[in-house]
Amino acid sequence: MQKGAVMKQYRNYIFDLYGTLIDIETDEEDSLLWEKLSGLYSVYGADYSRDQLKKRYEELVREEEEALGRRMGFAYPEIRLERVFARLYLEAPSTHRSRVAYFYRNAAELAESSFIFGIANAFRVISRKRFQAYPGTIRTLSALRERGCHIYLLSNAQRIFTLPEIEQTGIKDYFDDIFISSDRQVRKPDTAFIKGLLEKHGLKKEESVMVGNDYDSDIGIAASCGLDSIFLNTFKLSAEEREKRLSEMRDRTGAEAYEPVLTVVSGDVSEIL
């Protein structure tokens, strides 16, 4: 924590999720992930090699993001990956008989199915190398609740993965509302994302603070809309690297003098209390 820092008491705390409240590491480049996922698709009659599946997944993500960006006019669009997983199934380069059970559905219908929920979460679980709430997370959220504060989540994430992970870590019931980028079709640092939260709940900026571990998305979105912020150094950036990233954020947002009200050097979220 910064020496001599005095914490203002806020009415509303807006938290990032991954790297802030939940400690997670995923590896979507792991060949084992794509080998297992291609095997799972094959069980249901959609045949890909490991490398075919990875390549086509990446192509569809780019295609869906470009289409959404054009349609919505967002610089930072956020797609729903359910549609990608559905299209992978329906557009497989070769198929066999097991596929008939889902063949009649289009991508929009299939994306809402329990089948795609299972495929997507298998992808997530296999890709995860580490997953748990940080030690100070529950203590911090509980203390803020006891103070009568309102707690919100603003996360760049996919609901199909994230809601189960929030529930698994036991933090879901602490939030007054949960804003996940895939639901809103836009992600941080686009201010449209946080403005939707502020407007929905009538939050006053002077009573609210953004808490996160990323200078561009978390601190940057706060700077862009005139909100206080707290930076958690969960990735143990050096002082020089923190200053470099803060400077880059200022250049991008035009917020030349912006500083987080607190930098928690240890990365322990409980130090915001």
Side-chain angles (χ1 to χ4, degrees), residues 27-43 46-55 122-123 126-127:
D27 183 2
E28 295 182 7
E29 297 299 318
D30 188 350
S31 60
L32 181 61
L33 165 65
W34 298 102
E35 181 179 327
K36 295 293 186 183
L37 197 66
S38 64
L40 184 57
Y41 269 102
S42 183
V43 166
D47 297 321
Y48 290 89
S49 71
R50 178 193 67 191
D51 294 339
Q52 277 180 322
L53 185 61
K54 182 177 186 293
K55 179 182 178 182
F123 169 90
I126 297 168
S127 72

Side-chain angles (χ1 to χ4, degrees), residues 146-242:
E146 289 172 4
R147 292 179 185 175
C149 300
H150 296 290
I151 304 172
Y152 302 94
L153 183 69
L154 190 80
S155 178
N156 285 354
Q158 293 289 319
R159 174 172 286 270
I160 198 167
F161 307 149
T162 297
L163 200 56
E165 290 174 346
I166 292 170
E167 292 171 348
Q168 285 175 279
T169 52
I171 63 175
K172 181 175 181 290
D173 291 342
Y174 289 100
F175 297 109
D176 291 275
D177 202 355
I178 293 172
F179 266 48
I180 296 175
S181 58
S182 65
D183 291 341
R184 313 296 294 189
Q185 299 184 301
V186 63
R187 67 181 187 270
K188 296 176 284 186
D190 196 312
T191 56
F193 191 21
I194 196 169
K195 285 178 179 178
L197 174 62
L198 298 174
E199 291 168 4
K200 178 180 177 181
H201 294 283
L203 305 186
K204 296 179 180 179
K205 292 181 181 180
E206 64 271 18
E207 296 178 346
S208 307
V209 64
M210 178 77 211
V211 184
N213 72 313
D214 186 276
Y215 278 111
D216 195 45
S217 62
D218 301 319
I219 309 308
I221 202 171
S224 294
C225 66
L227 199 70
D228 284 352
S229 64
I230 297 171
F231 176 75
L232 301 181
N233 190 30
T234 50
F235 295 145
K236 310 302 182 188
L237 302 177
S238 67
E240 293 76 14
E241 183 62 24
R242 294 198 303 273

Side-chain angles (χ1 to χ4, degrees), residues 1-2 5-16 19-21 136-145 147 149-152 175 208-213 219 228-234 260-273:
M1 189 179 295
Q2 292 170 325
V6 177
M7 271 301 299
K8 173 182 174 181
Q9 297 298 302
Y10 295 92
R11 180 174 176 80
N12 310 303
Y13 285 78
I14 304 168
F15 284 93
D16 173 51
T20 298
L21 300 176
T137 293
I138 297 292
R139 180 168 67 256
T140 302
L141 298 179
S142 296
L144 292 175
R145 272 288 184 212
R147 292 179 185 175
C149 300
H150 296 290
I151 304 172
Y152 302 94
F175 297 109
S208 307
V209 64
M210 178 77 211
V211 184
N213 72 313
I219 309 308
D228 284 352
S229 64
I230 297 171
F231 176 75
L232 301 181
N233 190 30
T234 50
V261 296
L262 183 68
T263 294
V264 180
V265 176
S266 70
D268 181 353
V269 69
S270 66
E271 291 196 31
I272 74 173
L273 298 174

